[in-house]
Amino acid sequence: RERVDELDFELPEELIAQAPLEERDASRMLVLDRATGGIQHRAVRDLPRELPPSLLVFNDTRVIPARVHGRKESGGRVELLFVTKLRDEGPAELWLALGRASKGLSAGTRVLVEDPSTDLRVVEKRETGEVVVRIEAEGGALAALERLGEMPLPPYIRRSSGAADRERYQTVFAAKPGAVAAP
């Protein structure tokens, strides 16, 4: 039986990095010696000597700028976090998204964005808070997200996403677009 409560821990706010280090491999790493239970504080650059010779698997998925801000036709603010493509629908694509708006979102809501070549419409609102959004855009949905979106920084990062985050919020192996959060 899983005990999720055993994963809870205190993490002081002042220990949460709000911006990446200039040198990626200078990030801190906690090393646990399974045999003794001893703990060491190391740097990520030390990782190769900590790993036993074995098969390594790398996540090469790039994080896409999946957070889009827009407005309803009534003027209310809308924020959408595009999670996954569901399917193609003619010249458009249907995407599952997490959405919030000043007065809620409902099926039929058109979301106005700064790019006139992109049409966003909520086609379904689910009880779980998710919405299905129809995206019709020049170059497809991923191209529209590249033009309009911002990097979806985690909620514990207390700053707005900036231009540098498009590269720094990726693994060094990132190649194929599709993730909405860094591993």
Side-chain angles (χ1 to χ4, degrees):
R1 193 174 111 152
E2 292 182 30
R3 296 287 316 259
V4 178
D5 59 315
E6 292 178 357
L7 301 175
D8 289 340
F9 61 94
E10 286 290 322
L11 180 57
E13 188 90 19
E14 64 271 10
L15 294 181
I16 301 173
Q18 295 300 306
L21 295 174
E22 284 295 318
E23 297 178 45
R24 288 178 184 252
D25 66 351
S27 296
R28 296 187 319 174
M29 176 177 71
L30 184 71
V31 178
L32 170 67
D33 183 322
R34 290 181 188 234
T36 67
I39 293 176
Q40 294 179 348
H41 296 273
R42 307 291 294 272
V44 170
R45 71 174 56 93
D46 300 324
L47 182 62
R49 72 172 164 222
E50 297 295 334
L51 297 174
S54 62
L55 173 69
L56 293 178
V57 177
F58 297 95
N59 182 344
D60 65 352
T61 308
R62 282 189 70 76
V63 180
I64 60 174
R67 180 170 284 133
V68 172
H69 296 275
R71 295 209 172 269
K72 295 184 201 179
E73 291 177 300
S74 64
R77 287 186 281 189
V78 175
E79 180 181 324
L80 295 169
L81 176 62
F82 290 87
V83 177
T84 189
K85 178 180 173 179
L86 298 174
R87 67 180 180 274
D88 290 321
E89 190 173 84
E93 298 174 26
L94 292 183
W95 279 68
L96 183 66
L98 302 175
R100 64 180 174 186
S102 50
K103 291 187 179 177
L105 289 170
S106 57
T109 301
R110 184 168 179 224
V111 179
L112 305 173
V113 292
E114 293 180 8
D115 179 6
S117 72
T118 301
D119 183 56
L120 300 177
R121 294 178 192 269
V122 176
V123 295
E124 179 186 344
K125 179 175 169 72
R126 297 185 174 175
E127 290 182 22
T128 57
E130 299 163 327
V131 290
V132 177
V133 179
R134 182 182 183 276
I135 308 172
E136 187 169 350
E138 185 178 314
L142 285 177
L145 292 175
E146 287 292 336
R147 289 191 300 271
L148 296 167
E150 62 183 48
M151 295 307 282
L153 298 180
Y156 52 83
I157 302 293
R158 306 270 186 238
R159 65 178 175 80
S160 297
S161 174
D165 291 314
R166 287 190 178 233
E167 282 309 311
R168 292 307 306 265
Y169 193 61
Q170 306 287 349
T171 70
V172 294
F173 309 104
K176 301 172 189 166
V180 296

